[in-house]
Structure formats: structure tokens, C-alpha cells
């Protein structure tokens, strides 16, 4: 029997990511609304609103993508796969998941030096003066979470198929 502890942690992690992405999106919507009021009612727009909303969108996309990967809901061109026998379909699904993990790992390796450079030079955004390491780090962090959660789903799927 598999101990349920690790999956409780993973489900908590997924719920935490979903909550964080929801908060990021709500903050972006609230900032957009405030900027609209500022621009068209008060005639004083928030100068850094667009920049901050862009950073919030990056966080939402890359963190939220990890949940999409965990749930197996990423876009797929799988109309042909549905015509295949179940065993072959599962093999292609496994290959796609392993490819996803490999691509995430490669992108993390390629992105991390840029993140380190931004931190080292303390580069900041033009109008909001936000350290660029923060939004840029969300890219490899989100990819890492995606690879981890897809890996967890693959392992759980393999364990379940062995029990049947």
C-alpha cells in the first residue's frame, strides 16, 4: 500500500499554486480597474500599472502552467491518439509527459544564468523599480514546478496501472 503523505503534500502544493495564481490575477484586475479610474476619471493614470500587470501575468502563466501539467490538461494534438489501442495511447502519453519534463529541465538550465545575472546586477524595471529577478525567476520556478508535478502524475499513473 502506498503511503498517502506525499500525495497530500502534492495536492496541497497544487492548491497553494492555484490560490497564488488567483491572487495574482485578482491583483492585476484590481490594478487595471484602478488605472482605468485614475486615467479616465481622475486624469492621473498609474504610471507603472502596465509594467506590474505584465509581471503579474508572467507569474500567473508560469505558475498556473504547473497545475495544468499536473492535471494533464495541456494542449495536445491527439485526435490520432484516440484512434489507437489503449496500450499504445498510454505509451504516447508517457512519451509526451517525459518530453515535457525534459523540455522544462532544458529551459530551466538555459534561463537560470539570466536570472542570476539580473540578481547580481540588481537590475530593476523602468517605471515600477521592481527587481527584475522576481518576475524572471518565476519562469524557471514555474517550469520546475511543472516538471515536478508532471513527474508526480506520471509516477502515480504508472503505480496505478501496475495495480490493475
Amino acid at each position: 500500500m502506498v503511503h498517502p503523505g506525499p500525495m497530500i503534500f502534492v495536492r496541497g502544493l497544487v492548491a497553494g499554486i492555484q490560490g497564488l495564481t488567483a491572487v495574482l490575477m485578482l491583483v492585476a484586475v484590481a490594478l487595471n480597474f484602478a488605472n482605468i479610474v485614475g486615467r479616465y476619471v481622475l486624469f492621473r493614470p498609474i504610471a507603472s500599472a502596465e509594467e506590474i500587470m505584465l509581471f503579474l501575468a508572467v507569474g500567473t502563466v508560469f505558475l498556473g502552467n504547473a497545475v495544468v501539467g499536473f492535471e494533464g490538461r495541456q494542449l495536445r494534438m491527439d485526435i490520432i491518439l484516440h484512434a489507437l489501442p489503449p496500450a499504445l495511447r498510454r505509451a504516447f502519453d508517457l512519451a509526451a509527459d517525459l518530453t515535457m519534463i525534459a523540455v522544462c529541465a532544458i529551459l530551466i538550465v538555459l534561463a537560470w544564468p539570466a536570472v542570476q545575472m539580473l540578481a547580481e546586477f540588481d537590475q530593476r524595471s523602468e517605471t515600477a523599480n521592481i527587481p527584475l529577478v522576481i518576475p524572471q525567476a518565476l519562469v524557471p520556478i514555474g517550469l520546475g514546478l511543472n516538471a515536478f508535478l508532471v513527474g508526480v502524475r506520471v509516477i502515480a499513473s504508472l503505480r496505478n496501472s501496475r495495480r490493475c
Side-chain angles (χ1 to χ4, degrees), residues 65-145:
N65 188 48
V67 176
V68 171
F70 178 69
E71 294 175 351
R73 294 181 181 225
Q74 61 272 26
L75 291 177
R76 295 180 180 216
M77 303 299 278
D78 59 358
I79 193 161
I80 295 172
L81 289 179
H82 290 295
L84 297 175
L88 193 53
R89 186 178 330 135
R90 281 192 300 275
F92 275 111
D93 283 339
L94 177 62
D97 287 336
L98 294 176
T99 302
M100 169 79 79
I101 294 168
V103 168
C104 286
I106 290 167
L107 290 173
I108 291 167
V109 169
L110 294 174
W112 198 251
V115 172
Q116 286 179 311
M117 229 174 20
L118 290 170
E120 183 180 325
F121 295 124
D122 191 31
Q123 288 193 312
R124 296 178 172 272
S125 64
E126 277 188 47
T127 55
N129 198 33
I130 294 173
L132 288 175
V133 69
I134 295 169
Q136 291 298 325
L138 291 174
V139 174
I141 290 169
L143 291 169
L145 286 168

Side-chain angles (χ1 to χ4, degrees), residues 1-13 70 148 152 156 159-160 163:
M1 181 172 172
V2 178
H3 190 274
M7 281 311 283
I8 290 172
F9 167 77
V10 170
R11 297 220 181 269
L13 177 62
F70 178 69
F148 171 72
V152 166
R159 283 184 178 168
N160 287 338
R163 279 193 218 133

Side-chain angles (χ1 to χ4, degrees), residues 30-78:
L31 181 58
N32 191 33
F33 179 75
N35 194 36
I36 290 169
V37 170
R39 179 177 310 258
Y40 297 109
V41 176
L42 305 174
F43 303 106
R44 297 199 54 135
I46 302 168
S48 57
E50 300 293 328
E51 196 173 74
I52 295 169
M53 285 187 294
L54 177 66
F55 296 155
L56 292 168
V58 168
T60 301
V61 168
F62 280 94
L63 294 174
N65 188 48
V67 176
V68 171
F70 178 69
E71 294 175 351
R73 294 181 181 225
Q74 61 272 26
L75 291 177
R76 295 180 180 216
M77 303 299 278
D78 59 358

